[in-house]
Amino acid sequence: MKTLLRFVGIRIFLICFTANAQTYQFDYLTSYKFTFDGRASNTIAYHNSKDDSYILFVYRDSENEIYAHLTDNRNHKSHKFKVAGNDAGSTILLKFTYLSSRPYNRDPSRFADYGYRFVKTDSSDSDNVRFRVEIFANKKKKKPITHFDLKTRKSDENNFHFFRNVIHPFEFESRFNIDGYVITHANWINFTNRVQNYQLTELKETDLVLEVPLK
């Protein structure tokens, strides 16, 4: 399996606009290994630990070109960037160039009736608690429609959304949350009763600021 980028010693460059721009800040980068139906891939994302309303994914397209896709749930926009990466010794130089924007329309009514139950399944190690998250079609239902089995690592910050951000369609479902933990491993029995597996392979602090022109 190809590595998307070696996230070691990253330096960030970007194309800056005038003051008439929307600014996005990212202070953490994660990489989750995603396995489903015998196939594996890496999901690489940038996050803001203090603001879970937007997320930036980095990916390769079918022609092996690197792009980034920023989804802004608060302003209902998505933005696309071209990413150039060049090796400079032990450092990778990343350059983000803004390409385009389009509307992003998430229907929150899909989740309005969902009920959530969070159960500790193993708390023998207080720094690495295990949880089961059961999700119900509504609060009156007794049988969950799907569930997650989670392995965690304790965190001084609320970094649960680092994991939730990469789980479609729960990216911005704020009630799906456990304060004070990073998710290191997850098994999701999805809506079709198939297993999706997520393994945290990288978590690091970063300093990325992107600007998008206001139109």
Side-chain angles (χ1 to χ4, degrees), residues 27-32 43 45-52 55 57 155 157-167 171 177 181-183 200 202-204:
D27 57 358
Y28 276 91
L29 178 148
T30 61
S31 177
Y32 278 93
T43 301
Y46 286 87
H47 314 264
N48 185 319
S49 62
K50 303 297 191 295
D51 188 345
D52 64 357
I55 175 75
F57 288 101
S155 172
E157 300 176 290
N158 182 23
N159 294 336
F160 185 87
H161 67 277
F162 293 0
F163 167 71
R164 188 184 69 224
N165 282 161
V166 305
I167 306 298
E171 297 96 324
N177 182 66
Y181 294 96
V182 171
I183 306 306
L200 180 66
E202 186 161 15
L203 170 65
K204 67 179 297 180

Side-chain angles (χ1 to χ4, degrees), residues 24-209:
Y24 298 92
Q25 296 181 317
F26 303 90
D27 57 358
Y28 276 91
L29 178 148
T30 61
S31 177
Y32 278 93
K33 181 181 178 182
F34 169 57
T35 306
F36 179 60
D37 280 353
R39 293 172 293 179
S41 61
N42 285 332
T43 301
I44 296 171
Y46 286 87
H47 314 264
N48 185 319
S49 62
K50 303 297 191 295
D51 188 345
D52 64 357
S53 68
Y54 56 86
I55 175 75
L56 178 74
F57 288 101
V58 180
Y59 63 95
R60 287 189 188 272
D61 69 1
S62 58
E63 297 181 354
N64 215 31
E65 296 290 330
I66 304 174
Y67 292 91
H69 183 213
L70 194 163
T71 303
D72 180 346
N73 186 52
R74 179 179 294 129
N75 295 305
H76 308 291
K77 296 282 188 179
S78 66
H79 312 288
K80 187 176 182 179
F81 297 82
K82 182 72 174 67
V83 183
N86 297 307
D87 284 323
S90 61
T91 300
I92 293 179
L93 307 179
L94 295 185
K95 178 181 176 181
F96 289 76
T97 302
Y98 169 78
L99 296 177
S100 61
S101 299
R102 60 183 176 84
Y104 168 73
N105 296 312
R106 174 180 178 268
D107 181 10
S109 64
R110 173 177 180 178
F111 304 92
D113 294 329
Y114 276 14
Y116 295 85
R117 182 165 62 197
F118 303 88
V119 180
K120 289 184 180 180
T121 56
D122 186 351
S123 56
S124 57
D125 183 348
S126 60
D127 290 330
N128 298 276
V129 178
R130 297 190 182 196
F131 291 89
R132 171 165 286 195
V133 182
E134 297 178 329
I135 302 175
F136 301 84
N138 60 62
K139 296 178 181 178
K140 295 181 180 180
K141 295 290 185 180
K142 295 183 178 181
K143 184 177 180 180
I145 56 174
T146 185
H147 73 266
F148 292 81
D149 289 313
L150 307 176
K151 295 181 182 179
T152 71
R153 184 170 70 234
K154 205 165 187 179
S155 172
D156 293 332
E157 300 176 290
N158 182 23
N159 294 336
F160 185 87
H161 67 277
F162 293 0
F163 167 71
R164 188 184 69 224
N165 282 161
V166 305
I167 306 298
H168 183 72
F170 296 99
E171 297 96 324
F172 301 110
E173 174 54 15
S174 59
R175 292 183 299 148
F176 182 17
N177 182 66
I178 305 173
D179 287 341
Y181 294 96
V182 171
I183 306 306
T184 58
H185 183 271
N187 281 327
W188 177 23
I189 310 302
N190 68 19
F191 294 106
T192 59
N193 206 35
R194 298 156 75 189
V195 179
Q196 296 181 200
N197 179 273
Y198 299 83
Q199 179 73 46
L200 180 66
T201 58
E202 186 161 15
L203 170 65
K204 67 179 297 180
E205 293 186 41
T206 187
D207 183 15
L208 171 62
V209 179

